[in-house]
Amino acid sequence: MNPAPCPPVTRHHAIPNAIERIVAIGDVHGRADCLSALLRHVEATDREREKTAIVFLGDLVDRGPASREVLALAAGALARWPDSVLCLGNHDDWFRRFLLGDPEFADGIDLWLMQGGEETLLSFGVDTQALGRARDTIRQDHPEILDLLAASAMLATFGPFVFVHAGIDPKRSIEAQRNRDCLWIRSPFLDHRGPLPGLVLHGHTPQTPSLAHITENRVSLDTSAFATGVLTAVDIDVRGGEARFWATQPGSLEITSVEPRLLERGFGTAVVAKPGSPGVYALRPAS
């Protein structure tokens, strides 16, 4: 099978204004057990499907043992809640480029395999020593995977919220963000203090301890699910201006309400606990 061209990913996905609930999920990395439990919780607490959007913050694949199952769960969620979106992660992009036979990725395949790509291929039951055959088998047997990755976005927005895998370049507008920053940025974004062009919800950088970390300008949701068993999500009531934080727990996969870690850096924090409402946080995103 001849490699397909490697088309660009959608730059910007605008979540429809009619949405009233957004559930943003951190890096899954092949933990289908955690994601399945979390999606069941969302389903059980979902009152109006047409007003709910799921946002996957990227890195569905690699490292964990069940990337194929995670991709299937994500595709099912996007179908179940049609206004949902996958914000492409750097690991998802590696897998996408591998499947599309991107010639510019040829020198990066070995690094991808060492960084969890081998586990992804094994989840599809293919021979990791015959990469061309493995690519063709996955493309032929799982065309829905290419559809899922092709429908992803580099970033998504809703009002004052920006959803992206790694983060954004603080010096650029949302419209001018570069793909490599959406996929890979760390220090220039994480170290930036003060306003950004919205409250940025992201993954990519594992948080220690394994809790959502919140500053004045970002909500960091990567809690190293593949290693810790803690997959974290923020559940936003956009009309009420409130948020709850949910996470799986190691060993039991029970979904519990968790308290994020609030990092005061001289500008306040983007959420504050609501007195008398345990587990509920008022949102204070910069406009």
Side-chain angles (χ1 to χ4, degrees), residues 93-171:
D93 190 48
W94 273 339
F95 186 43
R96 180 184 76 97
R97 294 173 70 187
F98 167 75
L99 290 179
L100 292 175
D102 182 1
E104 296 183 1
F105 184 54
D107 291 339
I109 289 179
D110 286 343
L111 175 61
W112 168 59
L113 292 172
M114 290 187 293
Q115 292 292 322
E118 183 172 7
E119 288 86 346
T120 294
L121 294 182
L122 289 172
S123 76
F124 284 91
V126 295
D127 183 357
T128 60
Q129 301 303 310
L131 294 179
R133 189 179 308 121
R135 174 189 296 115
D136 292 347
T137 297
I138 296 171
R139 285 173 54 90
Q140 179 177 332
D141 294 350
H142 300 279
E144 73 281 0
I145 300 302
L146 283 175
D147 293 341
L148 172 67
L149 296 173
S152 62
M154 281 296 166
L155 56 81
T157 56
F158 181 93
F161 303 107
V162 179
F163 303 89
V164 65
H165 175 60
I168 63 173
D169 182 344
K171 297 179 181 179

Side-chain angles (χ1 to χ4, degrees), residues 28 30-40 54 56 60 66-81 145 148 231:
V28 183
R31 287 299 299 263
D33 52 349
C34 298
L35 181 59
S36 179
L38 192 53
L39 290 175
R40 286 196 302 271
I54 309 297
F56 294 101
L60 296 178
S67 289
R68 178 180 63 82
E69 293 85 350
V70 166
L71 291 165
L73 287 167
L78 294 179
R80 170 71 174 80
W81 293 281
I145 300 302
L148 172 67
L231 177 62

Side-chain angles (χ1 to χ4, degrees), residues 22 105 199:
I22 299 175
F105 184 54
L199 176 59

Side-chain angles (χ1 to χ4, degrees), residues 219-233:
V219 177
S220 303
L221 290 168
D222 181 2
T223 48
S224 299
F226 78 95
T228 64
V230 179
L231 177 62
T232 301

